[in-house]
Amino acid sequence: MKQTVALSICCAVILMISSASAQFGELLEQFGMGKPSGLSESKIVSGLKEALQIGTEKTVSLTGQLNGFFGNEAIKILMPEKLQTLETALRTVGYGPKVDEFVVSMNRAAEEAAPLAGPIFREAIEQMSFEDAKRLLNGGDTAATDYFKAKTGEKLAVAFLPKVEQATSKVGVTAQYKALVGQYQTIPFMQPVLFDPDEYVVVKSLDGLFHVLGEQERKIRQDPAARVTDLLQEVFGK
């Protein structure tokens, strides 16, 4: 009889502890401190890939339009530091408008090249593993952007160069640069400057592209309004 009573008491205590633990767990989850959300692996991967698809498409759309670079002060391509002496000298002798035309032409070339990033980004998204997705989901505000830099940077540079060369020729970057150098060399005591405008535009194009992609990623992670699908709300909301 005593053993039966003791067993009943033990069972009651266990049930009380379990109930309290469950309630405590629910309380922690309400404050975002509980166990993982329990999302399936496939949903985590799908959610992150959808976020990346939306983010990269938006990035390409923003940068690949007229003034996508030139009109965005954060990524606008300016005269490189090594040409600052050239720029200052030319502006001093009245060639400022020519310098400005050169800057515009570099940005126009970047805007024409930006759409080439779309297929390369999509390929990287398709090849992403569950482990990649899980790591990026739980990473910092620009973890996915950093991943894209590592995975697509070289491919983008290779793809961009021919397009930039074509675009720089079309919008007059090379011609503008040669004209500026010619005018600069007419100024007494000025040394010639070696500079590859195509390579410079490629580098600055990729810098701008990843800057905008980082902004898009932060929005999805931090701003519920940027989670424009139910899947994004579910995955990033938790």
Side-chain angles (χ1 to χ4, degrees), residues 122-186:
R122 285 194 294 272
E123 181 183 17
I125 293 171
E126 291 169 0
Q127 294 176 351
M128 185 175 294
S129 69
F130 166 71
E131 291 302 325
D132 289 333
K134 186 176 180 181
R135 184 177 68 256
L136 298 181
L137 182 65
N138 297 320
D141 286 347
T142 59
T145 300
D146 295 337
Y147 172 87
F148 270 107
K149 283 183 182 179
K151 290 289 185 180
T152 68
E154 291 185 8
K155 287 184 178 180
L156 287 170
V158 171
F160 269 41
L161 184 56
K163 182 64 174 179
V164 165
E165 290 174 341
Q166 179 184 0
T168 54
S169 176
K170 175 183 174 182
V171 300
V173 173
T174 304
Q176 290 278 359
Y177 172 67
K178 289 180 178 179
L180 288 178
V181 171
Q183 291 156 354
Y184 174 74
Q185 290 175 340
T186 65

Side-chain angles (χ1 to χ4, degrees), residues 55-169:
T56 54
E57 287 177 355
K58 184 70 171 178
T59 296
V60 171
S61 174
L62 289 172
T63 56
Q65 62 182 327
L66 182 66
N67 290 327
F69 274 81
F70 188 72
N72 184 340
E73 291 300 322
I75 64 172
K76 181 179 178 180
I77 301 177
L78 304 175
M79 291 284 280
E81 291 184 8
K82 68 185 301 180
L83 295 185
Q84 284 182 349
T85 300
L86 179 150
E87 178 179 6
T88 301
L90 289 175
R91 289 189 183 280
T92 300
V93 296
Y95 287 109
K98 293 296 183 181
V99 174
D100 294 336
E101 288 176 12
F102 176 61
V103 170
V104 171
S105 66
M106 288 192 295
N107 284 273
R108 294 291 180 256
E111 291 158 10
E112 287 205 20
L116 292 176
I120 296 174
F121 282 152
R122 285 194 294 272
E123 181 183 17
I125 293 171
E126 291 169 0
Q127 294 176 351
M128 185 175 294
S129 69
F130 166 71
E131 291 302 325
D132 289 333
K134 186 176 180 181
R135 184 177 68 256
L136 298 181
L137 182 65
N138 297 320
D141 286 347
T142 59
T145 300
D146 295 337
Y147 172 87
F148 270 107
K149 283 183 182 179
K151 290 289 185 180
T152 68
E154 291 185 8
K155 287 184 178 180
L156 287 170
V158 171
F160 269 41
L161 184 56
K163 182 64 174 179
V164 165
E165 290 174 341
Q166 179 184 0
T168 54
S169 176

